Each structure stands twice: as C-alpha cells, then as structure tokens.
Amino acid sequence: TEPTVTHATSSIRAEGPIRVLLVEDNEADYWRARDLLDSTPHARFTIDWVRDLRSGLAKLAPATFDVCLLERFLPDGDGLDILRAAPARGCDAPIIVLTGAGTLGSDHAAMDLGVADFLDKSRIDATVLERSSRYALSRRRQAQRLSQLAQRDELTGLANRSLFNDRLERALAWARRHDRIAAV
C-alpha cells in the first residue's frame, strides 16, 4: 500500500475546510479531482487520497471525513465495499461515487447501498463536484436534525418517549442476550 497524500486547496470557507477522502487508483484522476476542488469558488477542501480499497477501508472512522469521493472499480476490489462497511465502522460521511465506467446497474447498486450521488468522471466540472459535495453534506445535516427532533424535545433537549422506548428495548435485548435482568 502506498502512503496517502493530503492536499489543502486554496479557496476560503467560513466554516473551515470540507474534509474529503478520495479513494482513487488512477493518479491522473486524483490530479483532476484535486484541480476541480481547487477551483471551486464557494468552498475549501482538504483531500486525503488513497489508491486502493484496503487503504480506503482503513481510513473509515467516525468524524474523520466530511465526504468520501469513491472510484467504483479499484484494483483490489469493488469500491462499493466501502459503502457497505462505513455504517459498521461508525462513518456517516456521505459517499459520492465517481466513475468512468458507470452503467445503470452500477448506479442502482450504489443507490441501494445509500450512496449520496453517482457522477460520471467524464461529465463533471468544478461546479458539479462542489455542488454534489455540499448537497450531500446538507442532506446529512438535515437527516441528523430530523433524527434529533424525532428523539428529543425541541425546547428542552430532553429525551422523549420515542428515545426512552428505544433505549428500553436495547436494555431489555442486552439483558436477554447476557441472561441478566433489567429494571426501570
């Protein structure tokens, strides 16, 4: 496995840079993605580049990246394995598949796994890549907000009945699995 390359772009963004994991085996495609992100007027990106599936899987961790740009076909496996592994590893960063070999079947397979977007490398420019990344981040924030509203009182922030029932079910399931008792 080759070392990772980290690159910071030069544009300015008030909230700080968008942290990108780029899983791409082709160096020319890495440079193209980097150049596109460098030329975005409304966001600043930092890019951590890895060349293979194994290195990409090793980078998956909670709160490490804001977005992942993923080549579908990697030399050591299917890039969609990263989509499959991300939730189990606590990584909730939206994943955007970038591929030059896209088919309708690839598109559907990626969507079934929860991909944020599926972009053809030959048809993207800086605006499309920036917009796709920002929209994916916005959708993730909205989903987190809806989850928060579904489980907590908006005024007090205290747990509501739904969250209580969820935690109670988890505690009872744990008690059953470990042959223990639970009490409220």
Side-chain angles (χ1 to χ4, degrees), residues 14-79:
E15 299 101 27
I18 296 172
R19 301 164 301 168
V20 175
L21 172 61
L22 175 61
V23 183
E24 171 62 64
D25 62 322
N26 183 312
E27 186 171 354
D29 286 340
Y30 156 71
W31 285 104
R32 182 161 188 265
R34 194 195 87 178
D35 289 344
L36 289 173
L37 293 173
D38 274 346
S39 64
T40 61
H42 305 294
R44 188 172 139 228
F45 295 85
T46 60
I47 304 168
D48 197 347
W49 174 43
V50 295
R51 293 177 177 246
D52 56 44
L53 178 65
R54 188 178 64 207
S55 300
L57 288 168
K59 292 276 187 178
L60 294 181
T64 305
F65 298 99
D66 298 312
V67 68
C68 177
L69 302 177
L70 173 66
E71 165 59 46
R72 166 72 197 270
F73 301 103
L74 296 165
D76 59 339
D78 186 349

Side-chain angles (χ1 to χ4, degrees), residues 36 39-42 124-134:
L36 289 173
S39 64
T40 61
H42 305 294
I124 62 171
D125 59 22
T127 302
V128 168
L129 190 53
E130 176 191 6
R131 183 179 296 139
S132 180
S133 298
R134 289 187 12 222

